Amino acid sequence: MPPAPILTGNRMARPREFDEQVVLDALVHCFWSRGYEATSVRDLIERTGLTGASLYNAFGDKRALYRRALDHYVEAGTADRIRRCEAMEPLQAIRAFFDEILRRSLDDGERKGCMLVNAALEAAPDDEASRAAVTGALLRLETFFLESLREGQASGTITSAFAAEDLARHLLGVLMGVRVLARTRPEPALLAGVVAPALALLEPVRARQG
C-alpha cells in the first residue's frame, strides 16, 4: 500500500517517493569522492537519480545537502566506531579504534581519505554551519579518547605520566595525520609507524620497561 499523503496546513503534501537513507548514501559517496567544490548539482542528480527540485525540496541547497551528507557519514562511520570501541577496556578500545582506521586507510583504493578530515580542510570561511559540524565531530572523537584515557589512568592500565587531556589531543592529531597521509602515501609501514609510537606512549612505564 503506498504511503498516505501528509496534510500540511490547508493542503495535502505528497509523501517522499524515495528511500532517504539510500539517497544520503549516494550523496556521501558523491561529496566524499569529489569534495564539495568539485561536486556539481548534475553530479548529485546523476548519483541519486532524483531531480534537482526533488533534492532541494527534501534537503535544501547544495551546502545543506553537503551538511546532511557529512552528518550521515559521521553517524554511520565515526559514531558507530566509537560506540563499538566504548564497550572495550580503555587501552584496547583505543588500539581497536586505530587498527580499524589503519585498515580503512589502506583499503581505500580510491584514496578518498576521511570525509570528515576532507571537510575540515575544505570548509569555506563563510560556511559556519559546516565548520561547526566538523568541530562537533572532532570534539566527539577527542571526547572518546579523553574518556578512555581517564578510565585507563584510573585503573592503572594507561600511563599517568601525561595529562589525559594532552594525550587525547595528541591522539586526535595522530588520527588526522594518518588520514591525510593515507591519501597520498597509503603505505602500511608509514601509517603503522605513525600510530605505533602514539599507542606505545599510552602504556604504563612498568609495561614499557618489562
Side-chain angles (χ1 to χ4, degrees), residues 66-177:
Y66 181 66
R67 289 193 292 272
R68 285 295 300 275
L70 182 59
D71 288 343
H72 185 63
Y73 171 88
V74 169
E75 190 58 33
T78 302
D80 176 67
R81 186 177 306 115
I82 288 174
R83 283 191 291 269
R84 284 186 280 107
C85 291
E86 282 176 334
M88 306 174 187
E89 293 296 320
L91 188 54
Q92 180 189 6
I94 295 172
R95 285 174 172 162
F97 184 95
F98 276 98
D99 282 346
E100 186 169 331
I101 290 298
L102 288 176
R103 287 197 303 272
R104 290 179 63 85
S105 298
L106 294 172
D107 290 343
D108 182 12
E110 296 180 60
R111 297 193 182 185
K112 299 188 304 297
C114 170
M115 186 176 176
L116 175 61
V117 176
N118 297 348
L121 296 173
E122 194 180 20
D126 61 336
D127 189 356
E128 295 183 5
S130 291
R131 287 191 290 111
V134 171
T135 299
L138 293 178
L139 182 59
R140 196 169 185 177
L141 285 162
E142 186 179 349
T143 299
F144 160 67
F145 290 139
L146 181 59
E147 291 178 349
S148 299
L149 290 162
R150 283 176 172 167
E151 184 180 346
Q153 287 182 336
S155 65
T157 57
I158 289 178
T159 182
S160 296
F162 304 93
E165 292 79 4
D166 290 339
L167 288 173
R169 295 173 189 129
H170 176 63
L171 291 175
L172 182 63
V174 171
L175 173 62
M176 297 297 102

